[in-house]
Amino acid sequence: MTPRVGIGYDSHRFTEGGALILGGVEVPHSHGLEGHSDADVALHALTDAILGAIGDGDIGQHFPPSDPRWRGAASVLFLADAV
């Protein structure tokens, strides 16, 4: 088996209200992260790392913010697809 490595990162702005979700867990906070999906930066980075390791593009190619299907989507769906 050949080892493969992927690097992923993600960032979203804080915004008043909304949910702050990190690693699939909602964190009680006055601010959430702004994004097309649930803006879970931890799962987005992990998904990107997996996609990079298998040489299959990035999260934006698979789940573009221009596609209304992903509006408000749980990022665990993205991770499951990459796995």
Side-chain angles (χ1 to χ4, degrees):
M1 184 182 278
T2 305
R4 293 178 173 251
V5 176
I7 296 172
Y9 71 92
D10 195 44
S11 64
H12 291 268
R13 291 181 207 201
F14 274 104
T15 184
E16 273 193 66
L20 174 59
I21 301 173
L22 297 172
V25 176
E26 188 167 348
V27 178
H29 199 280
S30 61
H31 288 69
L33 295 174
E34 186 178 298
H36 185 70
S37 66
D38 64 5
D40 185 332
V41 293
L43 293 186
H44 288 186
L46 183 55
T47 301
D48 258 346
I50 291 169
L51 292 172
I54 64 173
D56 196 18
D58 65 21
I59 195 169
Q61 290 173 300
H62 288 264
F63 309 100
S66 59
D67 188 335
R69 288 182 298 168
W70 309 122
R71 183 83 181 140
S75 295
V76 70
L77 299 173
F78 307 156
L79 179 60
D81 184 76
V83 169

